[in-house]
Amino acid sequence: RRGLTALEIFDSVEFEHVNLAILLTKIGFCYQYLGKPKEGLPYHERAYRILLSKLQGNEVECSMGIINIAACHIAMGEIQKA
């Protein structure tokens, strides 16, 4: 039996808040720092979706989510996706 990942726990609840997006982004950065951008990518993608839904019209905050996703793709060698 394996434990749930943080992303699986957050996906199981209907809670979406900007603070959750910040937390997910930080978890994504931790994976990137550990040299595991593939594992960090889903956290950045979920954070970006939350930011889009909660910060409509705030291009600066939403663009940071796109940059984080692109950084993961670059680290994985997927330049075209970035």
Side-chain angles (χ1 to χ4, degrees):
R1 180 179 165 166
R2 70 173 184 82
L4 294 174
T5 66
L7 192 59
E8 290 170 330
I9 293 168
F10 292 134
D11 281 343
S12 70
V13 296
E14 293 294 322
F15 178 74
E16 288 196 349
H17 190 274
V18 174
N19 288 340
L20 176 59
I22 293 167
L23 177 61
L24 291 168
T25 298
K26 290 181 184 219
I27 293 171
F29 283 141
C30 288
Y31 278 113
Q32 285 178 263
Y33 180 77
L34 292 171
K36 299 178 178 184
K38 185 175 182 177
E39 286 85 349
L41 181 60
Y43 292 92
H44 288 300
E45 291 172 335
R46 173 79 189 276
Y48 176 64
R49 287 193 303 270
I50 293 170
L51 290 174
L52 276 179
S53 69
K54 299 298 178 188
L55 300 177
Q56 297 170 355
N58 189 333
E59 294 83 10
V60 174
E61 290 296 325
C62 291
S63 67
M64 291 306 297
I66 294 171
I67 291 168
N68 295 337
I69 292 168
C72 284
H73 284 295
I74 290 169
M76 293 186 300
E78 299 174 345
I79 306 302
Q80 295 298 327
K81 289 186 179 180

